[in-house]
Each structure stands twice: as C-alpha cells, then as structure tokens.
Amino acid sequence: MAKVHVFDHPLIQHKLTYIRDKNTGTKEFRELVDEVATLMAYEITRELPLMEKEIDTPVCKATSNVLAGKKLGIVPILRAGIGMVEGILNLIPAAKVGHIGLYRDPETLLPVEYYIKLPSDVSERHFILVDPMLATGGSAIAATDSLKKRGAKNIQFMCLIAAPEGVKAFTEAHPDVDVYIAALDEKLDEKGYIVPGLGDAGDRLFGTK
Ligand code: URA
C-alpha cells in the first residue's frame, strides 16, 4: 500500500499558513509556494540512493558520495502544478520537466487529457508528479495513469494540501505511488474545494478568477 507522508517541518507549516490566508496577494503566494516546494523537495529526495565516486580534493584522493540510480523528472499537472516546479528545480536543477494537462469533462465529470509532453526516456526516470491540491484525486489518478501508460515505473506524488477523500481515492488507485503532502485537511465541500484549504490554487498563483 502507498505511504502517505505529511511534512510537518515548522518552516513548511509556517509558510503554509500564509499560503492559506486569503489576504496573501499573488506575488507573495507565488513566492511562498515556490519556497514550500523547495523545502518539500529536500524532504522527498531524502531516500535517493547514493554511490561512491573517486575524486581529488586539493589535499588528497578521496571517495565521496554522489546521487546514483535513476535520473529525475518533474511533472506538473497543468496549470497549478507549474507553481511548484521552480522550487523543486532550485534543488535538482538537472531534472527534466514534463507537463500533463487535464480538464474535467462537463458531462462525465471525468478528467480528459488534452496535453502531455514527457522526457523521451520515461521508463528510466524517477518522476515527481506535482499538483498543489489533492481534492477528489481525479486529476492525480489520471495523470499517474498517463505516466504509467507511457512506461513510468517510479513515481512519487507531491502536493501542498490534500483532502482525505483524495488521499483514499489516489492510494487505492495507485498503491505503488507514495504521496507527500504538507497538510491533510478536513474534507471537501459541496463544490469540491478543500476545507479549510486555500481556495483555487491556479487562480491564486496566476492572479485569475
Ligand atoms: N483545486 C483547488 O485549486 N482548490 C481546491 O480546494 C480543490 C481543488
């Protein structure tokens, strides 16, 4: 079964409070999401495998550690996921970035993929799929389906705020994908917003309504 990790680091929790606050404007909201994404990337990469490398320091020969194993890929779910990309790239600048765009069909209410572009070597990469909000789980489930369909074998899903309904749906659909969140909120309201949440993450990031 998938593990759900809640990052309770004080800096993440402090910044998340200002992200939630409706009086936080677009510029500050964007900066805070960026900072929290960096802090979460630090935590999420904690288990990456290392390998030894021979180097020459100015003093002597030495054996030291570098990242081993799979190359990394970041995949934001459009559009709000874009707000988390730069923050992760601050720590992992060599990561490739794919994009997945989904909209909800007004009749079936199911997510429909309208855009996907991924690095060519999908099966060799370790992917961090990102979306600030895990609400019903529909988009995250569909995006993970898309990644797997194209050969991805190693995926972590990272979001700022999750609803229990979304966590349940996602972990049941993808028990092999661990979920990393900054906060697990109370519930979804009748419009599908996370409560207490932060409102519409895309609108707050991009200053739209
Ligand atoms: N998407 C958002 O942006 N906010 C929510 O509360 C739920 C889904």
Side-chain angles (χ1 to χ4, degrees):
M1 194 61 189
K3 283 199 204 116
V4 179
H5 309 255
V6 183
F7 293 143
D8 57 0
H9 192 290
L11 283 176
I12 294 177
Q13 294 306 313
H14 174 85
K15 290 174 192 291
L16 190 60
T17 299
Y18 292 97
I19 288 174
R20 288 181 187 279
D21 191 331
K22 71 173 187 182
N23 295 315
T24 299
T26 304
K27 175 178 179 287
E28 201 188 343
F29 185 91
R30 216 177 266 153
E31 288 166 357
L32 286 163
V33 169
D34 192 65
E35 289 166 17
V36 169
T38 303
L39 293 167
M40 291 184 79
Y42 178 75
E43 297 281 3
I44 206 173
T45 50
R46 190 174 282 282
E47 310 271 308
L48 286 180
L50 293 169
M51 66 180 196
E52 290 188 339
K53 180 178 163 65
E54 304 286 326
I55 53 163
D56 295 306
T57 77
V59 180
C60 66
K61 286 195 177 303
T63 306
S64 194
N65 289 322
V66 291
L67 291 173
K70 295 192 190 310
K71 296 173 277 180
L72 290 161
I74 306 165
V75 180
I77 300 176
L78 303 181
R79 78 187 150 137
I82 289 175
M84 298 174 75
V85 173
E86 282 301 318
I88 303 173
L89 285 173
N90 284 339
L91 284 193
I92 320 167
K96 296 268 165 70
V97 181
H99 294 87
I100 298 182
L102 301 161
Y103 71 90
R104 195 203 283 225
D105 184 296
E107 277 170 20
T108 64
L109 301 182
L110 294 172
V112 179
E113 185 184 291
Y114 66 86
Y115 183 80
I116 183 155
K117 188 83 180 171
L118 299 174
S120 55
D121 49 356
V122 173
S123 59
E124 283 145 48
R125 278 193 188 264
H126 176 118
F127 285 100
I128 304 175
L129 179 67
V130 295
D131 195 353
M133 310 301 273
L134 179 63
T136 60
S139 303
I141 291 169
T144 307
D145 287 339
S146 289
L147 281 175
K148 287 184 175 174
K149 203 165 69 190
R150 287 164 178 84
K153 296 183 188 73
N154 209 321
I155 306 169
Q156 293 170 295
F157 176 64
M158 176 168 132
C159 69
L160 297 185
I161 300 179
E165 296 90 330
V167 170
K168 182 168 183 296
F170 185 84
T171 52
E172 282 174 7
H174 293 293
D176 56 323
V177 178
D178 284 357
V179 179
Y180 300 81
I181 62 186
L184 179 60
D185 274 13
E186 200 183 313
K187 60 175 184 186
L188 289 179
D189 72 10
E190 61 290 346
K191 290 188 185 144
Y193 280 98
I194 299 179
V195 180
L198 53 73
D200 187 297
D203 281 346
R204 294 201 61 197
L205 271 167
F206 298 111
T208 50
K209 257 272 182 289

